[in-house]
Amino acid sequence: VTVTVSATTSHPIPTTLWGQMFEDISSGDGGLYAEMLQNRAFQQVTPNTTAALNAWHSVNGAALSVVADPIPVSSALPNSLQVTVPAGTTGPVGVGNEGYFGIKVTAGSTYTASFHYRFTTASAFKGSFTVGLQTAGGQLLVSTSVPITAANTAWAQVNVTLRPTRSASSTANNFTVTLDGTAASGQTVNFALFSLFPPTFKNRPNGMRVDIATTLAEMGPSFFRLPGGNNLEGQIISQRWQWNATVGPLLSRPGRVGDWGYVNTDGLGLKEYLDWCEDLGMQAIMAIWSGFSLGGAAIAEGALGPYIQQASDQINFVIGDPAKSAPAALRASLGHPAAYPLKYVEVGNEDFFQPSTYTYRWHDIVTALQTEFPNIHFIATSDTFNPILSPNPLQYDVHVYQTPTWFAQNSFFYDGFERNATTYFEGEYAAISLNASDIFGTPADGRLLFPTMQSSTGEAAFMTGLERNSDIVFSASYAPLLNHLANSQWTPNLVSFDAGNVYPSTSYYVQKLFSLNRGDAYIPSTLPTPLGTLFWSVVRKTSTQEVIIKISNTVGTAAPLTFVLPFATVATTGTAQVLSGAQNASNTPTTPNLVVPKNSTIRTGKTFSYQAPPFSLSVLTFVAH
Ligand SMILES: [NH3+][C@H]1C[C@H](O)[C@@H](O)[C@@H]1CO
């Protein structure tokens, strides 16, 4: 095919075009959020049940139970782990935590451990806690001792650092707190809010896991959608995500029953999200709850007042003036007096599930908040223009999960959209199944466990269309972003991980290649065949006077292209960054780097030819002006 490139650009490309969608779907707790202990504060569990002890185990016969503490460590954390040392025990006795399906222990790293404790009965007991990391087989990796007394029954906090001199050979390790059985015979201690942190990304306290954060940062994302997705909504109204329960000291955060089958600690809270955006230079696309929960309950018309106030407070926490707004003053007191950048606020998530009530929920929420925040752009989450909403949304969030073929054949999805000042956030998209008649089915029914080069090139084809239509598409993000392999709620994911490693997928490299090779203006060219198999986009990077051509070949045969450029000056050589692999090739824990981008030098010129490999995304960059 011959691609003739225009001499003039058609429109500027928004700086927010490529970014990340995030929600806690086995991706926050135990993932991006660096806390290593699972069930660290016994939040939202039923005392005196086995489930309440999830991830904890007894060491050397200690009697364990989660109790509703009559003197809780805080009102937000009513449960304690009660440990009794049976009479006649000898040797170290106490508790162990297995982490989030493992604990990675690296020599030379400094781990910060803490917990609160109180003796239930005062006594003359003097002893010490031994705080350590050991292999599941019982081999000590590192430990330290803290002298304690049972002089009173008041809560006290232990804070220690652990510096292993040896790395563990696997992630099958435990965090332990023990007493000497002989000395502590018969003692009962209540524990609360344990924590074990490794070094964090940019050393942020209560921060992010370095390897996952670095992998995400390397994509160069320009926005971060938070906090969801389904995980915003709650199965029932009382379980919705509430910003004010996720800020301030960890002792004040009750946690919540998340929407993906596990308790969220909310240690990764609104300020941690905003600081993360700041660290990566991303804009937040922040969601507010829209009065609907996944089980189907919606706040009645006219009763949204308290929820609109809560949303107003959430927005004021982000951008308010500390002198005029209590939530903004709270932000300042937490160390960020300046407002965070915020342009887009999304009203709910996938409200196409209940359009009948979204008409008044959108109306009441946006009417109130647009008045208070005239510079905020509110994004609607119902189907575009169905139902008709008032006020008329100027932004919609469009989600699509489909087959690789659908993506390859729908790169012109936005070409036919009316240019009527409405702009679009392609907030969730991914090729997830090979079975067009059962997109959300099981792997046995065509669901992908990991992206493949067929699915990733389908997405790349679709993305050339998003780039061409970036006059009305202002942001786009693959979903879901992250998932813990030992506790998956959804496949495929852009980046998988376990306690020890991170596994960027083929689709991750597609997202990264588009994001790191942005243009600031789109250059029209011969249009691809909408139902064909070969797709491209051409953009200009003015700062370097470069032209960047992205080519997706979505089938297993190489595709020759000839480019004809009208520019006075075109370099004779350029670079090609090529991601190519077999149709079903995936990066997985067994083949983590099976398909990665490879760079080469290519011949370019006013007219030049290029052969796109089978199942490939190519990014050609060369000086032309
Ligand atoms: N069901 C998908 C749509 C919803 O917004 C996300 O939480 C889910 C996974 O990306």
Side-chain angles (χ1 to χ4, degrees):
V1 61
T2 297
V3 180
T4 303
V5 176
S6 163
T8 56
T9 62
S10 57
H11 65 271
I13 296 174
T15 56
T16 52
L17 184 55
W18 306 118
Q20 293 168 353
M21 175 273 178
F22 184 85
E23 65 173 321
D24 204 331
I25 174 170
S26 279
S27 53
D29 284 333
L32 180 59
Y33 180 55
E35 170 62 62
M36 302 183 92
L37 303 183
Q38 184 173 182
N39 193 17
R40 71 178 177 185
F42 319 99
Q43 294 165 300
Q44 307 297 328
V45 296
T46 306
N48 306 308
T49 61
T50 311
L53 283 165
N54 174 40
W56 291 94
H57 57 268
S58 169
V59 173
N60 189 14
L64 307 187
S65 67
V66 172
V67 298
D69 202 316
I71 312 172
V73 73
S74 69
S75 56
L77 301 176
N79 296 333
S80 301
L81 177 63
Q82 184 157 93
V83 179
T84 299
V85 178
T89 315
T90 59
V93 57
V95 295
N97 187 283
E98 66 190 34
Y100 282 95
F101 317 98
I103 294 178
K104 184 174 187 177
V105 180
T106 308
S109 284
T110 298
Y111 298 85
T112 52
S114 68
F115 55 89
H116 297 258
Y117 74 94
R118 75 181 186 90
F119 282 83
T120 54
T121 310
S123 73
F125 171 75
K126 289 183 185 309
S128 63
F129 284 131
T130 301
V131 185
L133 294 166
Q134 53 184 279
T135 67
Q139 193 183 11
L140 186 64
L141 295 163
V142 63
S143 76
T144 185
S145 282
V146 181
I148 52 167
T149 74
N152 61 51
T153 59
W155 283 102
Q157 187 175 14
V158 166
N159 290 287
V160 296
T161 57
L162 300 167
R163 278 178 64 85
T165 52
R166 306 178 30 248
S167 297
S169 58
S170 86
T171 56
N173 305 302
N174 294 315
F175 169 78
T176 56
V177 177
T178 56
L179 290 157
D180 174 75
T182 310
S185 175
Q187 292 294 333
T188 296
V189 189
N190 284 6
F191 292 92
L193 186 52
F194 289 83
S195 180
L196 177 70
F197 263 77
T200 59
F201 187 72
K202 295 195 183 228
N203 293 312
R204 283 266 189 195
N206 198 42
M208 307 302 192
R209 180 173 143 179
V210 172
D211 55 352
I212 294 177
T214 304
T215 302
L216 298 186
E218 285 171 351
M219 285 171 65
S222 44
F223 72 84
F224 198 73
R225 174 176 171 226
L226 63 101
N230 284 5
N231 205 43
L232 163 76
E233 301 182 77
Q235 200 53 37
I236 55 178
I237 292 167
S238 61
Q239 289 176 351
R240 70 192 186 282
W241 184 87
Q242 300 190 52
W243 75 273
N244 44 298
T246 76
V247 297
L250 295 181
L251 281 170
S252 310
R253 303 189 197 182
R256 63 179 274 264
V257 175
D259 292 299
W260 292 106
Y262 56 89
V263 172
N264 291 186
T265 67
D266 281 340
L268 172 53
L270 182 51
K271 184 171 182 295
E272 285 79 22
Y273 280 128
L274 295 167
D275 290 339
W276 165 246
C277 291
E278 195 166 84
D279 287 347
L280 268 67
M282 300 185 288
Q283 271 199 46
I285 294 184
M286 181 176 75
I288 55 175
W289 190 67
S290 70
F292 169 76
S293 287
L294 291 167
I299 302 297
E301 186 159 13
L304 279 161
Y307 306 95
I308 293 171
Q309 182 58 55
Q310 189 169 32
S312 166
D313 291 345
Q314 179 184 331
I315 296 169
N316 267 318
F317 180 83
V318 181
I319 61 173
D321 176 353
K324 296 178 184 153
S325 145
L330 172 60
R331 181 191 72 236
S333 75
L334 295 173
H336 205 284
Y340 291 95
L342 183 71
K343 176 176 179 182
Y344 292 109
V345 168
E346 180 152 2
V347 181
N349 172 63
E350 297 197 331
D351 281 282
F352 49 73
F353 279 118
Q354 198 173 94
S356 62
T357 58
Y358 197 59
T359 47
Y360 71 76
R361 293 187 285 117
W362 165 268
H363 173 270
D364 293 1
I365 291 168
V366 174
T367 304
L369 295 180
Q370 192 74 88
T371 305
E372 185 175 3
F373 305 103
N375 300 327
I376 293 292
H377 297 246
F378 291 96
I379 302 172
T381 71
S382 51
D383 289 335
T384 51
F385 308 109
N386 171 20
I388 295 300
L389 298 173
S390 169
N392 174 51
L394 289 176
Q395 291 79 216
Y396 275 96
D397 177 6
V398 181
H399 294 179
V400 57
Y401 294 95
Q402 260 291 353
T403 62
T405 303
W406 186 93
F407 280 97
Q409 298 191 336
N410 283 275
S411 68
F412 283 71
F413 183 85
Y414 284 101
D415 289 69
F417 271 54
E418 192 184 340
R419 266 59 179 169
N420 59 7
T422 310
T423 55
Y424 300 91
F425 171 34
E426 193 69 23
E428 297 179 26
Y429 66 96
I432 68 170
S433 173
L434 304 180
N435 183 344
S437 61
D438 185 9
I439 297 292
F440 299 95
T442 63
D445 205 11
R447 184 72 172 266
L448 295 174
L449 285 173
F450 295 93
T452 67
M453 278 311 292
Q454 181 186 27
S455 72
S456 303
T457 50
E459 290 150 9
F462 187 70
M463 293 165 77
T464 64
L466 298 180
E467 220 163 36
R468 180 173 60 249
N469 290 284
S470 55
D471 60 317
I472 59 170
V473 177
F474 64 89
S475 286
S477 41
Y478 179 105
L481 179 64
L482 283 170
N483 206 289
H484 197 308
L485 285 166
N487 189 28
S488 282
Q489 273 81 30
W490 182 284
T491 67
N493 299 277
L494 198 65
V495 176
S496 295
F497 60 89
D498 53 28
N501 300 291
V502 190
Y503 308 98
S505 70
T506 50
S507 289
Y508 167 85
Y509 290 113
V510 165
Q511 293 292 322
K512 185 177 176 183
L513 283 167
F514 270 82
S515 182
L516 295 186
N517 296 283
R518 301 181 194 221
D520 48 76
Y522 189 76
I523 308 178
S525 63
T526 307
L527 286 175
T529 305
L531 298 184
T533 59
L534 185 65
F535 302 88
W536 55 87
S537 68
V538 185
V539 300
R540 164 170 301 289
K541 187 176 178 182
T542 306
S543 60
T544 55
Q545 297 203 307
E546 289 173 319
V547 165
I548 303 171
I549 301 175
K550 300 180 184 82
I551 305 159
S552 179
N553 183 2
T554 64
V555 291
T557 48
L561 300 101
T562 300
F563 292 96
V564 177
L565 299 149
F567 307 112
T569 308
V570 182
T572 54
T573 60
T575 60
Q577 302 171 78
V578 183
L579 183 76
S580 69
Q583 175 170 357
N584 298 321
S586 295
N587 292 337
T588 72
T590 49
T591 58
N593 300 304
L594 181 65
V595 186
V596 296
K598 293 185 171 53
N599 294 358
S600 60
T601 300
I602 54 167
R603 292 200 56 70
T604 55
K606 293 190 178 183
T607 300
F608 72 94
S609 295
Y610 176 76
Q611 174 140 298
F615 293 112
S616 66
L617 168 62
S618 303
V619 180
L620 313 183
T621 305
F622 52 95
V623 169
H625 50 83

